[in-house]
Amino acid sequence: MSQTVVSPTTHSSRSADDRHKARVAWFDQITIDDVASVGGKNASLGEMYRNLSDAGVRVPNGFATTAEAFSEFLSRNDLNQRIEGILGGWNGEDVDDLARRTREIRSLILGSDLPAELVVELIEAYRSLSRQAGIANVEVAVRSSATAEDLPEASFAGQQETFLMIHGEDEVMDAVRRCFASLYTARAVSYRRHMRIGEEEIALSAGIQRMVRSDLASSGVIFTLDTDSGFRDVVYLTGAWGFGENIVQGRVIPDGFYVHKPRLRDGFVPLVGKTVGPKELRMVYDDQANKVVNERTPAVDRERLCLADDEVLSLARWSVAIEEYYSNVRGTPTPMDIEWAKDGRTGELFIVQARPETVHSRKTAAQVMRVFRMDERGAVLATGLAIGDSITTGVARTIADPKDMNRLKEGEILVTEITDPDWEPILKRAGGLITERGGRTSHAAIIARELGIPAIVGAQGAIHAVPSGTSVTVSCAEGEAGYVYDGVLDFSVEEVDAANLPSTRTDVMVNLGDPSLAYKTAMLPSRGIGLARMEFIFASHVGVHPLALTRPEMLSPEDRVLVEQATVGYDDPTEFLVDKVALGVGTLAAAFWPRPVILRFSDFKTNEYAHLLGGEVFEPKEPNPMLGWRGASRYYHPDYRDGFELEIKAVRRVREQFGLTNLKVMIPFCRTPEEGRKVVAVMAENGLVQGVNGLEIYVMAEIPSNVLEAEEFAAIFDGFSIGSNDLTQLTLGVDRDSESVAQLFDERSAAVKRACAMVIAVARTHGRKVGICGQAPSDYPDFAEFLVQEGIDSISVTPDVIAKTVKIVAEVEGR
């Protein structure tokens, strides 16, 4: 059966009077200005249906009841004063009393008749939609849309009901009545009271939309920003098998995708993030029982992504078009919260809902950033996905059912399996939230962001692992993972006001290897990444030795099985490494675009490489790995070259397919100029050519030979990055890991400073860039002063001391 968009001219043959009924309006008649009549969801669907088809955005056709129809329904049944009287007695605090009162209101509504005129118009519209589909009693979704919802300042996430797989005139009438009743759930009334929206200010519209059979395929949620940091240059898309309610309610952890908007607009394919979620359940339609049910997702579907790459990119392009359109309409940047669905019968993608995002859209770039940092660690009780980037402490309180919400005291940490809108009255009391299920776009995550409380979702086993009544620390400030620590631990908060930081000649950059911190860190006032460590991505995203993928015949049978398990879903096991590295590096480059990102190729020592899966068979046992087979010496060596070539392939993907040409590369532990030339040659032979598309190749200045032969190295490379740790160790002959000589390790020693000065001078003479990637400039203001006086171009430090370092550098430059 064809599932195509009906032309907006479908109803043009009707008279003007027919096409402008007061009680029912078709999507092709609705604009964004009709919010007061048909609610936020339906107004946005109409606006997209009318104006975004040229951008390829596909919206299922349908129609909506108007606010006038709802008002007429209430007045015809004498419900207004009765509802006012029932709610008038609520004190605003007693949630049990509110639940009783709202049940009484819903009972009144469900027992009332729809006005005859509305019934006639609904039947006429439903029959017309069925004729368009060529099906008697076409399947539809009936969605509630309140006239005060989906505003930039209030999401009303899940407040009213949606009914799926409705077919037949009687079912449509019943679903519309149930939509009307859902305006008066306890959660909806409580939410309106919390947002200070009066009952007299709101009405409800029921949108009747051609059903997209995503139960036979997949569906999900899209945000046109990173939901945790508010970073606006990405589209974040989630998806799972079946109808999308499981994602919205947090019953499953979905697949996740990130697409970089600026390079997408430029025609590249910057799909920089892909994560397979477990997708434990899928919501489907049971034909025999004539109802929507949840079932376990088959194992094969849990292990694969629910969308192909080209489908993700299509949805991302639509999302960018929707965001741009609404930003123009509203005259201000408007990040969007969008729902999508794929029809399993036709393979077509659809947008079924769009509304303004309600948390980060209220923030301005000039706002002060608060940077949280754990100052001590304790026993980890549970871990899951971090929502937000803050830290809190409090008493954990396990509650299984919202009926027991009075047990939660103000500021306590709520621990539960899952939340839905029924929990919202209690969430306003919570100081933090921990749920065993859910993903980044689940109800719990959305409301936690809106309330400004840290949350950890998908923390499996948390109910048993976090004893109710015990004090805990909830940390969402350590990257993608959130941690529940036992006890009250120390943490600190730094306020960073970028607008008031002084400007500097010297670039202050950041050291960063963890892609999960990229979007948050990119919002700090740095001028790029001065050191991105490849080995962090190897350890956290790959975990397999590169040669175990290029030479699997050398593995033991046991390791071969483990490698096959790790690379499931990849026809070519080497593509596993290239894909994982490209996604990790691509995330860093996308976050900081167009600022430079300097990636250091892998610099594991042999003992560290051996710890990767399958690594022991390929790595020699060296008495001193620090001075052994590491860095540049591996890249051209026949015993490792094919492993390095995979890194090159990943870098090429980031620069050429993703379009992120701000990515530069750096060679570590390059002992001689001849070694440098060999590495550059290997890169060129594999298509990564110095100077092409602006590619710059840097070298670490961390060995005395880099200093003494700096002019020779300057003839090969585009710049230097002083590695102060190794340079100090090797200049002073001090093992930095030895407690016996630890007191002798000092970057400020005369010999080390002289070495730094020599490299800086040569770089300046030869027009090469030179920076330093180490903590010393932040720890020792006098060392920063020395570097600035010598004319260093950049100083790269950890994210937590960016603001401090900028101030130090500005003060030195001022003197």
Side-chain angles (χ1 to χ4, degrees), residues 161-226:
E161 299 290 348
T162 293
F163 304 97
L164 304 177
M165 294 299 296
I166 301 299
H167 40 73
E169 296 168 4
D170 290 343
E171 286 192 15
V172 170
M173 301 306 127
D174 181 62
V176 168
R177 189 183 292 104
R178 286 188 286 164
C179 281
F180 287 175
S182 72
L183 187 64
Y184 294 101
T185 60
R187 68 202 187 207
V189 173
S190 174
Y191 189 85
R192 292 198 291 273
R193 181 72 64 92
H194 176 67
M195 300 303 295
R196 299 183 179 178
I197 297 173
E199 296 299 320
E200 71 284 353
E201 302 176 50
I202 196 164
L204 192 129
S205 165
I208 294 86
Q209 185 180 47
R210 177 84 180 272
M211 191 72 217
V212 179
R213 289 299 301 270
S214 58
D215 61 320
L216 305 176
S218 56
S219 59
V221 177
I222 304 170
F223 284 88
T224 59
L225 46 62
D226 175 47

Side-chain angles (χ1 to χ4, degrees), residues 649-713:
K649 190 174 181 180
V651 169
R652 287 192 61 190
R653 182 170 299 177
V654 173
R655 289 178 52 85
E656 297 168 15
Q657 294 185 25
F658 298 172
L660 298 168
T661 51
N662 59 325
L663 178 65
K664 309 173 188 302
V665 295
M666 184 158 61
I667 311 301
F669 225 77
C670 187
R671 294 174 170 93
T672 68
E674 178 59 26
E675 205 168 46
R677 282 187 284 269
K678 289 181 178 179
V679 172
V680 172
V682 171
M683 294 170 60
E685 290 168 15
N686 284 272
L688 195 60
V689 182
Q690 190 174 23
V692 174
N693 288 328
L695 176 65
E696 294 180 348
I697 305 176
Y698 292 74
V699 65
M700 291 288 294
E702 55 188 341
I703 309 171
S705 62
N706 301 140
V707 178
L708 297 174
E709 294 189 275
E711 292 197 1
E712 288 78 4
F713 282 104

Side-chain angles (χ1 to χ4, degrees), residues 252-479:
V252 300
I253 298 175
D255 296 336
F257 308 86
Y258 280 98
V259 179
H260 186 239
K261 289 192 284 189
R263 298 312 267 164
L264 182 70
R265 294 188 185 100
D266 293 335
F268 292 95
V269 287
L271 178 48
V272 298
K274 287 190 291 186
T275 304
V276 178
K279 305 179 292 294
E280 304 92 332
L281 300 171
R282 65 178 180 188
M283 186 175 287
V284 299
Y285 180 66
D286 185 334
D287 292 291
Q288 299 298 320
N290 191 27
K291 64 179 182 180
V292 174
V293 298
N294 253 328
E295 64 182 22
R296 300 294 299 179
T297 305
V300 65
D301 289 333
R302 294 184 60 179
E303 294 174 356
R304 66 186 181 101
L305 294 167
C306 66
L307 285 173
D309 288 359
D310 61 340
E311 292 174 322
V312 174
L313 292 165
S314 292
L315 288 169
R317 292 186 188 99
W318 292 2
S319 301
V320 169
I322 293 168
E323 179 184 55
E324 291 176 347
Y325 182 82
Y326 280 98
S327 296
N328 289 332
V329 168
R330 299 184 67 245
T332 186
T334 305
M336 298 296 290
D337 172 355
I338 300 165
E339 294 184 17
W340 65 271
K342 178 180 178 180
D343 195 297
R345 297 169 299 188
T346 68
E348 291 179 300
L349 296 168
F350 290 88
I351 299 297
V352 296
Q353 184 172 302
R355 58 191 179 195
E357 188 270 347
T358 60
V359 178
H360 298 290
S361 58
R362 288 180 284 170
K363 300 177 181 178
T364 64
Q367 285 185 311
V368 175
M369 290 184 62
R370 304 181 75 210
V371 180
F372 288 77
R373 180 178 60 223
M374 290 295 303
D375 293 330
E376 65 172 323
R377 295 290 192 278
V380 176
L381 300 179
T383 184
L385 295 173
I387 304 300
D389 55 13
S390 61
I391 302 172
T392 192
T393 62
V395 173
R397 186 67 59 198
T398 301
I399 298 178
D401 192 296
K403 295 177 182 177
D404 299 323
M405 60 181 69
N406 286 329
R407 292 175 45 213
L408 186 80
K409 298 178 182 178
E410 192 76 26
E412 289 187 332
I413 311 298
L414 173 63
V415 183
T416 191
E417 181 186 10
I418 188 174
T419 69
D420 59 29
D422 288 335
W423 288 85
E424 287 178 23
I426 189 176
L427 290 175
K428 289 178 289 186
R429 300 182 199 163
L433 174 63
I434 303 166
T435 65
E436 290 193 325
R437 294 162 66 181
R440 295 194 180 282
T441 56
S442 64
H443 173 269
I446 291 173
I447 298 302
R449 293 189 193 100
E450 191 166 297
L451 296 175
I453 61 174
I456 299 175
V457 300
Q460 298 181 12
I463 290 175
H464 297 293
V466 183
S468 187
T470 60
S471 295
V472 297
T473 299
V474 176
S475 172
C476 294
E478 301 174 65

Side-chain angles (χ1 to χ4, degrees), residues 557-609:
E558 295 78 11
D559 279 352
R560 190 175 301 181
V561 169
L562 293 175
V563 169
E564 289 174 355
Q565 291 174 347
T567 59
V568 66
Y570 292 87
D571 295 333
D572 178 355
T574 64
E575 173 60 20
F576 165 75
L577 184 146
V578 173
D579 185 48
K580 295 295 185 183
V581 171
L583 294 175
V585 174
T587 296
L588 297 174
F592 283 80
W593 172 267
R595 291 170 288 175
V597 171
I598 303 174
L599 172 70
R600 187 179 72 187
F601 283 118
S602 59
D603 191 28
F604 281 132
K605 288 76 174 173
T606 50
N607 59 324
E608 294 167 337
Y609 266 117

Side-chain angles (χ1 to χ4, degrees), residues 122 198 319 383 394 480 491 699 750 772 778:
L122 284 171
S319 301
T383 184
E480 184 176 19
F491 66 92
V699 65
I772 186 170
S778 297

